[in-house]
Amino acid sequence: MSGLATTRADELTAAAAAPPARGRVALRRLGRRKGSIVGIAGLAVVASVAAFAPLISPYEPLAQDITNTLAPPVWAEGGSLEHVLGTDSLGRDVATRLAYGARNSLAISVAAALIGSLLGLITGLVAGFFGGWVDSVLMRLGDMQLAFPFILLAVVILGVIAERTVLHLILVLGVPGWIVYARVVRSRVLAEREKEYVTAARAVGASGPRTLFRYVLPSVWQVIPVIAMLDLGFLVIVESTLSFLGFGLTPPTPSWGSTLAEGRQFLVVSPWLPVLPGLAIMFTVLSINLTADGLADVVDPRLTKGSFRRQMLRLPSRYNRDRGDDQPLLRVRDLAVEFPLGERVVRAVRGISFDLERGQTVGIVGESGSGKSVTALAIIQLLDAPGRVTGGEILLDGQDLTRIDRKAMAALRGRRIGMIFQNPASSLNPVLTIGFQLTETIRTQLRLPQEKAESMARDALLSVGIGNAEHILRRYPFELSGGMNQRVMIAMAMAGRPDLLIADEPTTALDVTTQAQVLEQLRDVTRASDTSLILITHDIALVAEYADAILVMYAGQVCEAGPAETVIRDPKHPYTRALLDSLPRADTPSGARLQAIPGELPDPTIVPRGCPFAPRCPCVLDISWEINPELVEVGPGQTAACHLWTPDEARGAAR
Amino acid sequence: MTQPLLDVRDLRKHFVTRTGRLSRARKVVKAVDGVSFTVGVGETLGLVGESGCGKSTLARTVLFLELPTSGEILFEGGRVTEGEAKRLRRRAQIVFQDPYASLPPRMRIEKILADPLAIHGLADRAAIPERVVQLLRDVGLGDGVARKLPHQLSGGQRQRVGIARALSVQPSLIVADEAVSSLDASVRAQILNLLKDIQERQRLSYLFVSHDLGVVKYMSHRIAVMYLGEIVELAPADPLYERPLHPYTRALLSAVPSLGRDGRGRIRLEGEPPDPGDPPSGCKFHPRCPLAQPICSQTAPELKEWLPGRFAACHFALADIEPKPRPETAT
């Protein structure tokens, strides 16, 4: 069948992947934090007071009443409902002054934040996208401005203006804010500009401005509301500070800062006068900051702190652990691993079992999401939280690794179980020399004195075919090629002569000629110390060449296992067969057409009722949709989980 | 033969880097160093090599996504210059490796496919939705995909969208830069077959760049092997795999793990490709070459046609056939 048909699995995965509408998700995220709800409510109160100031205040903000000065608020002795919050030294109603003050304060701050963010967004976009001298000039201007204290700058400018209006304050507070936004936007643009979709936009012929506004802008603007919200809180404070210092709105225009300053003189007689505007400022800024926090979550969900605590497994042991002589080095039974992610649970590994004899190599083959890497991480107990083993046993020489404590496991790592990863450069510390890292590992693992560890480090490098060990020991990881770093990792993992080495895609990041060298080295060094090897890879051809046994995984299950040579020569499971047929090989005759597997990989959050491969299987049976097949023996040492191979009576019984 | 669709002549792309933050010394990395080849109408030219050999830079330079340092690119008979890049992009497109990174994350699929049409004025506003649906069908996707965002699609579906975007301008050449390398095995074959079907239907030409020798073999009519910025061998696919002329090609082929072989008789290359900023003298491959002779470190061999249609840059290309190396004349 051609790959053109959209299959059932296509639709299934597409439907599963489609999240609910974006707006709803955003609201839910905002609502998840109690703080942000309080913040929004507080902000709503302040905003409505500001908006409806003329309606809710019974007095004019400037109306004086010399006969009734410094009246106390309603709850104090002598207070009356006439002036709920009392009056000031000129007999003006404090509640009215504060309501109008909120009006001015918010209007100035919001407008200033808008101006700053707009200017900053534009300059940041331009500087980041076009780079070169444009970028240099803009950023140096920003640096110069930041070198001068912001409030001082405002005071200097406002000081020379005789009649300071709302507009003056908006400009003085707003315009200098551009640099805060511009810097963040610029750095995000720089990151986006390197991404392939920007090159792709150029490749389809999009002009510079088109690329910037249509392609880059949608990915960078989200930071603006968060910074603007934080900026808003800052601006409310600065506006009040300026008023307090006498550089705000020219009196008698009401503002929180000037009310505070006037009230200060009557602190002893009327303590509420300075306290009330102070509370108003605090309440507003706090509300704004709480809202900003929630907003940051909406814009960047990665910032949300989830529950990453891993729960320990408490399960009764079902297998006897007598250490007979026939016990393999590693015995995995019914291993299950889950990742609870919010409401969904990813069942990454769903009951896999295998044995690994001492000195043998097993290759675990699978595509992404098959659970092959998770299996490896479960064995060495290094699953990323919140992943956890939810069932089964991992017996290393009869000891169940899922049930030993953290300390005992740490003692096993390195000495009995070693692991190497796909990307050696990120597994090594970039600021320490190879020699230091290797010696340190050997010294702590084997508790050896320094000199002894150093000579062992040299030997370890020699054992993986690094001839000029002295030279390499003095290098840093970034000075070496990927292949060389991976050899260092192998040397490091093998230095403690572990019983078991797990190699997770050890050569996927390497070139084909280097890959062959590294794998041969890996084979030689594990053979020399009788170490068992688990080779995890997506490349079935690698396993054919370097492993004794093979485990083919699909959707968290083993679908076929057996001696590598047999499984590859005579695969019994339709998936194994299809996988082998779909590989373009150097010896495929030209003109031949690949047998593609239709459909897509299954969604790991959906556990199918029947066989997970059923939607893509060319020989699917009715029963495949109903019952998940068990592994059954299909040849000497070879097992497959497919209803084609389940005995008729078992199938009948199941039906 | 009729005029080729793409004719690349002695193309070079050099990058100049400063060696240190403070030092003034500059290093020239010759990512593409004098490469010539042609791609015929309806033909696929495979470009294979290891990382750092310059194959991706070459692919991008051909489309003027990188400006060439020197050399000529003739496309559809005319010489392409920087100012004409837009005309080139109307007829030559690219499919990238990473289907996750190469689609704008916050653009709906329909907009991604409609934008090239708008840029080149290829369809009326009213006709665009219909054309988008047609493009999606051409790559085996349903209409429902149009309203989705890239992150809502699987890797295979995304790469199909990437192909549809390239097809939207009805190009005559598509450069596929590791277009299937990040896809899972079971999805990869679908995409390869899709590319082949499209080629047949629309008589497209491909410049198919990949590090995977199996994939290149499957897709290509002719194959160019690159090493350190140069083409070391260029030949039709079958003979290249049956009897490679260049020792590097031989080593590359023998390094590929293959089913049903245990690695015996493998040509094991020593070391790793040298630093492209400081390549060896003479033949760039000589320090790792099992056949190297004194001449190899002194004189760089030229890409010569040793057998009909088969080019190799090696002093001893026919060494295992004829005992006498270095023919006087090359035809």
Side-chain angles (χ1 to χ4, degrees):
Chain A
M1 200 180 95
S2 93
L4 284 173
T6 312
T7 64
R8 193 191 148 122
D10 261 329
E11 287 156 19
L12 276 179
T13 45
R22 255 205 291 178
R24 253 189 291 152
V25 171
L27 273 182
R28 207 186 308 153
R29 261 190 227 133
L30 199 59
R32 207 178 292 156
R33 293 182 70 129
K34 289 200 186 76
S36 53
I37 298 176
V38 174
I40 292 171
L43 208 52
V45 170
V46 181
S48 33
V49 167
F52 303 114
L55 295 179
I56 53 179
S57 353
Y59 303 94
E60 282 296 308
L62 304 183
Q64 301 181 2
D65 180 2
I66 310 294
T67 61
N68 189 13
T69 61
L70 296 178
V74 66
W75 60 84
E77 212 184 307
S80 70
L81 272 173
E82 208 179 327
H83 295 286
V84 178
L85 297 181
T87 59
D88 66 3
S89 58
L90 295 173
R92 295 176 294 198
D93 183 53
V94 171
T96 308
R97 298 279 293 171
L98 287 181
Y100 279 88
R103 213 167 201 217
N104 288 330
S105 188
L106 277 191
I108 291 169
S109 308
V110 168
L114 281 177
I115 290 182
S117 57
L118 197 66
L119 280 176
L121 178 63
I122 294 168
T123 44
L125 282 174
V126 168
F129 192 74
F130 293 102
W133 67 267
V134 180
D135 182 32
S136 301
V137 168
L138 287 173
M139 287 302 114
R140 290 303 83 77
L141 273 176
D143 288 345
M144 270 154 60
Q145 191 201 303
L146 282 179
F148 202 77
F150 176 56
I151 296 206
L152 203 57
L153 186 74
V155 166
V156 167
I157 298 172
L158 292 168
V160 299
I161 302 173
E163 192 72 23
R164 293 178 296 271
T165 62
V166 171
L167 189 66
H168 287 130
L169 273 149
I170 289 174
L171 289 177
V172 169
L173 293 184
V175 174
W178 71 276
I179 181 65
V180 181
Y181 300 89
R183 283 193 159 179
V184 180
V185 170
R186 171 180 172 270
S187 71
R188 291 207 35 156
V189 171
L190 286 179
E192 293 298 311
R193 203 179 59 169
E194 296 306 312
K195 292 197 180 154
E196 219 159 40
Y197 74 86
V198 176
T199 316
R202 281 176 58 212
V204 294
S207 61
R210 191 184 189 98
T211 310
L212 182 56
F213 289 108
R214 289 204 151 206
Y215 290 80
V216 178
L217 180 60
S219 302
V220 301
W221 67 264
Q222 294 85 355
V223 287
I224 292 283
V226 181
I227 312 174
M229 214 59 198
L230 292 168
D231 195 25
L232 190 63
F234 172 71
L235 287 168
V236 168
I237 291 178
V238 171
E239 189 273 333
S240 304
T241 311
L242 286 172
S243 300
F244 183 82
L245 294 173
F247 293 98
L249 295 170
T250 310
T253 319
S255 94
W256 288 343
S258 54
T259 313
L260 188 67
E262 287 157 23
R264 201 172 50 115
Q265 303 159 27
F266 305 95
L267 186 63
V268 182
V269 232
S270 322
W272 60 87
L273 267 186
V275 168
L276 287 173
L279 284 176
I281 294 168
M282 211 172 81
F283 180 77
T284 310
V285 174
L286 199 63
S287 302
I288 289 172
N289 286 351
L290 284 172
T291 311
D293 257 12
L295 206 58
D297 276 359
V298 175
V299 169
D300 195 348
R302 281 168 302 178
L303 297 175
T304 318
K305 290 188 210 88
S307 163
F308 284 123
R309 196 174 306 143
R310 206 180 317 167
Q311 284 140 15
M312 282 302 284
L313 180 77
R314 298 251 179 275
L315 283 175
S317 184
R318 274 177 297 161
Y319 300 92
N320 55 10
R321 317 177 184 171
D322 49 341
R323 284 184 66 172
D325 285 338
D326 58 337
Q327 180 99 25
L329 174 76
L330 180 73
R331 167 163 281 176
V332 175
R333 283 291 172 274
D334 295 329
L335 179 68
V337 181
E338 290 180 0
F339 288 78
L341 294 176
E343 297 115 69
R344 297 168 143 205
V345 174
V346 175
R347 297 195 162 77
V349 176
R350 301 191 285 138
I352 74 159
S353 305
F354 66 92
D355 287 349
L356 179 56
E357 303 289 341
R358 196 171 284 277
Q360 294 283 296
T361 296
V362 63
I364 303 185
V365 180
E367 299 177 83
S368 45
S370 64
K372 56 187 191 303
S373 292
V374 174
T375 303
L377 292 169
I379 292 171
I380 198 167
Q381 298 279 298
L382 285 176
L383 283 171
D384 281 332
R388 62 198 183 101
V389 174
T390 50
E393 291 193 328
I394 301 165
L395 301 172
L396 183 74
D397 260 346
Q399 187 179 21
D400 190 348
L401 302 184
T402 62
R403 284 166 182 80
I404 64 175
D405 64 37
R406 208 171 289 181
K407 232 174 162 181
M409 190 64 219
L412 287 182
R413 280 189 211 116
R415 306 196 60 179
R416 299 210 58 199
I417 310 178
M419 179 143 186
I420 53 176
F421 297 91
Q422 175 170 346
N423 194 343
S426 60
S427 309
L428 289 163
N429 187 327
V431 296
L432 299 174
T433 61
I434 298 291
F436 182 87
Q437 298 185 54
L438 195 50
T439 313
E440 190 68 13
T441 309
I442 294 171
R443 208 169 56 78
T444 49
Q445 264 176 18
L446 305 181
R447 304 209 173 80
L448 290 174
Q450 181 68 21
E451 300 89 68
K452 197 91 193 283
E454 274 172 22
S455 83
M456 266 196 81
R458 269 189 294 277
D459 293 346
L461 288 186
L462 288 173
S463 75
V464 291
I466 297 178
N468 49 349
E470 285 299 336
H471 174 76
I472 297 296
L473 284 171
R474 283 196 300 271
R475 301 275 143 230
Y476 289 90
F478 69 88
E479 296 177 294
L480 303 179
S481 67
M484 197 58 94
N485 276 325
Q486 194 59 291
R487 276 185 231 209
V488 170
M489 287 308 297
I490 294 172
M492 203 179 273
M494 289 300 295
R497 297 199 163 238
D499 298 316
L500 173 65
L501 180 67
I502 302 171
D504 188 1
E505 302 271 10
T507 57
T508 306
L510 306 179
D511 277 318
V512 60
T513 54
T514 320
Q515 164 176 292
Q517 296 171 9
V518 169
L519 283 172
E520 275 161 32
Q521 224 82 61
L522 187 61
R523 180 170 57 190
D524 295 348
V525 73
T526 48
R527 271 188 193 163
S529 57
D530 206 23
T531 297
S532 305
L533 176 65
I534 299 180
L535 179 65
I536 292 165
T537 176
H538 66 281
D539 186 350
I540 197 166
L542 270 191
V543 171
E545 208 168 302
Y546 293 97
D548 305 305
I550 186 172
L551 215 63
V552 182
M553 287 188 72
Y554 188 78
Q557 296 180 328
V558 174
C559 63
E560 183 157 8
E565 196 257 337
T566 319
V567 170
I568 283 158
R569 185 173 33 80
D570 186 17
K572 298 285 201 251
H573 195 286
Y575 173 66
T576 320
R577 218 178 304 149
L579 196 62
L580 287 166
D581 284 345
S582 72
L583 288 181
R585 288 184 245 156
D587 51 6
T588 308
S590 51
R593 199 177 162 84
L594 286 179
Q595 291 301 310
I597 306 176
E600 306 267 343
L601 293 168
D603 182 329
T605 61
I606 298 173
V607 175
R609 202 148 78 128
C611 172
F613 189 57
R616 310 175 72 186
C617 184
C619 10
V620 61
L621 304 170
D622 287 344
I623 190 178
S624 306
W625 299 103
E626 302 298 325
I627 292 163
N628 196 359
E630 304 254 321
L631 275 175
V632 291
E633 183 129 6
V634 292
Q638 190 178 5
T639 51
C642 176
H643 287 298
L644 291 175
W645 299 96
T646 20
D648 282 343
E649 59 272 28
R651 253 200 267 165
R655 217 174 292 175
Chain B
M1 202 176 115
T2 52
Q3 202 176 37
L5 178 78
L6 177 72
D7 189 348
V8 172
R9 294 179 186 168
D10 200 25
L11 191 70
R12 283 165 210 273
K13 175 68 192 177
H14 298 177
F15 294 101
V16 180
T17 52
R18 268 193 301 184
T19 48
R21 257 190 112 67
L22 297 173
S23 84
R24 295 224 162 183
R26 276 156 196 272
K27 193 157 106 174
V28 178
V29 176
K30 298 176 176 173
V32 178
D33 200 21
V35 164
S36 305
F37 61 87
T38 61
V39 182
V41 175
E43 186 192 32
T44 300
L45 178 73
L47 197 57
V48 72
E50 296 183 275
S51 54
C53 73
K55 57 188 189 301
S56 278
T57 308
L58 174 58
R60 281 161 200 238
T61 312
V62 163
L63 291 183
F64 271 74
L65 292 170
E66 302 272 5
L67 287 183
T69 308
S70 70
E72 267 190 289
I73 296 170
L74 288 94
F75 180 70
E76 293 185 330
R79 187 163 183 264
V80 185
T81 58
E82 192 187 345
E84 283 174 287
K86 192 171 172 187
R87 182 187 72 92
L88 177 74
R89 280 163 203 166
R90 162 72 185 79
R91 298 288 294 158
Q93 276 300 315
I94 183 165
V95 176
F96 294 93
Q97 168 172 4
D98 186 347
Y100 291 80
S102 60
L103 297 181
R106 296 183 192 256
M107 224 188 228
R108 294 198 186 277
I109 304 302
E110 56 189 351
K111 261 189 90 183
I112 295 175
L113 298 182
D115 212 39
L117 301 174
I119 290 167
H120 297 284
L122 293 176
D124 292 334
R125 209 166 244 284
I128 282 181
E130 198 183 323
R131 179 86 184 102
V132 166
V133 168
Q134 183 58 47
L135 283 167
L136 287 173
R137 288 202 185 132
D138 285 349
V139 295
L141 291 173
D143 313 358
V145 170
R147 298 284 306 153
K148 296 215 163 121
L149 288 166
H151 73 90
Q152 296 171 311
L153 306 181
S154 69
Q157 288 174 317
R158 275 181 230 214
Q159 198 57 305
R160 285 172 194 264
V161 172
I163 293 168
R165 172 174 60 190
L167 289 175
S168 63
V169 298
Q170 293 178 301
S172 54
L173 173 73
I174 287 186
V175 175
D177 186 6
E178 300 276 9
V180 295
S181 304
S182 62
L183 299 179
D184 272 304
S186 72
V187 179
R188 186 162 48 201
Q190 294 175 7
I191 301 294
L192 290 176
N193 284 344
L194 173 68
L195 287 170
K196 276 200 159 183
D197 291 342
I198 293 168
Q199 178 166 49
E200 250 166 56
R201 244 184 293 153
Q202 311 192 2
R203 245 180 106 60
L204 276 174
S205 303
Y206 291 131
L207 179 59
F208 195 90
V209 181
S210 179
H211 70 282
D212 186 323
L213 289 132
V215 167
V216 167
K217 165 88 185 297
Y218 181 63
M219 290 302 293
S220 312
H221 301 103
R222 287 187 305 141
I223 292 168
V225 181
M226 275 188 89
Y227 187 77
L228 281 183
E230 292 172 0
I231 292 180
V232 295
E233 182 158 3
L234 178 67
D238 282 332
L240 184 94
Y241 279 69
E242 273 153 33
R243 212 178 64 79
L245 294 183
H246 199 283
Y248 175 65
T249 316
R250 245 170 270 157
L252 206 56
L253 283 170
S254 92
V256 181
S258 88
L259 305 166
R261 195 186 62 187
D262 58 2
R264 270 190 287 265
R266 168 164 294 166
I267 304 167
R268 201 163 146 170
L269 280 186
E270 292 309 317
E272 299 190 28
D275 177 4
D278 184 22
S281 62
C283 171
K284 287 178 181 172
F285 185 58
H286 85 263
R288 303 174 74 195
C289 181
L291 306 177
Q293 299 289 321
I295 183 181
C296 300
S297 59
Q298 292 147 19
T299 318
E302 278 176 37
L303 189 68
K304 281 192 234 172
E305 190 167 11
W306 296 83
L307 296 168
R310 303 186 56 185
F311 299 79
C314 175
H315 295 299
F316 305 103
L318 298 178
D320 63 333
I321 307 174
E322 298 167 25
K324 242 196 310 173
R326 291 202 79 204
E328 287 307 302
T329 52
T331 44

